Amino acid sequence: MSNALVVGGTGFVGRNLIHFLKDETFEIDCLSTSEPSEARKVRGVNYLTANLQDYSSLERVLGRRQYRFVVNVGGYVDHRRFGSGGESVFATHFTGLVNLVSVVFMKIEKSVEVNICQRVSISQHKRFVLKKFSQAA
């Protein structure tokens, strides 16, 4: 069984990705800034809480873990601030990514980057992710 870390797994895309990966028999850790309510949790998923902006927080939570795959679908849903300057939104995403890569990069076998900038159906998204995973394997 392969294991995967899903960053942003409590959001819309991440939660659906987790359901998909569970169907494909992955062991899953979900990293988010806050733990979801019991009603939104997916059975069998290990929920981890850390702030991507805080390197020591990530190191404490992920430092000893190893993953075959890491999928980062985390980010702000509300980008209104980007329109009025945007530097803080960009810096937040960039710093978070740098911290994530710094903590897990040397211990990862494959990475999959999923950027969804338009609306897609869940079935389209599942096919896209499965294709990315099969290319990375």
Side-chain angles (χ1 to χ4, degrees):
M1 183 180 287
S2 291
N3 68 342
L5 171 66
V6 178
V7 178
T10 58
F12 176 77
V13 173
R15 190 164 185 270
N16 283 284
L17 175 62
I18 284 173
H19 279 288
F20 172 72
L21 293 175
K22 287 290 293 174
D23 291 346
E24 298 295 318
T25 66
F26 276 80
E27 291 179 8
I28 302 166
D29 283 351
C30 169
L31 181 70
S32 187
T33 55
S34 60
E35 193 164 317
S37 67
E38 289 300 317
R40 290 200 42 87
K41 285 185 178 180
V42 177
R43 186 184 324 229
V45 172
N46 182 35
Y47 288 91
L48 307 170
T49 304
N51 183 343
L52 291 178
Q53 297 298 298
D54 181 358
Y55 180 87
S56 62
S57 167
L58 280 177
E59 180 64 37
R60 185 175 54 256
V61 172
L62 299 177
R64 296 185 178 200
R65 297 174 184 272
Q66 292 185 311
Y67 298 99
R68 179 160 167 87
F69 295 98
V70 174
V71 182
N72 182 2
V73 292
Y76 289 119
V77 174
D78 183 357
H79 283 102
R80 284 183 287 183
R81 290 181 290 179
F82 193 80
S84 62
E87 293 84 11
S88 65
V89 173
F90 176 79
T92 298
H93 284 275
F94 181 77
T95 303
L97 181 60
V98 168
N99 287 342
L100 181 64
V101 168
S102 297
V103 171
V104 300
F105 181 73
M106 297 306 289
K107 299 175 275 184
I108 186 174
E109 289 184 39
K110 305 287 181 182
S111 65
V112 178
E113 180 161 341
V114 179
N115 285 321
I116 303 295
C117 296
Q118 59 185 6
R119 289 183 179 215
V120 295
S121 72
I122 295 305
S123 62
Q124 288 173 317
H125 186 252
K126 284 182 179 180
R127 286 192 302 272
F128 173 77
V129 170
L130 185 56
K131 180 179 175 186
K132 288 285 195 177
F133 269 72
S134 64
Q135 289 171 347

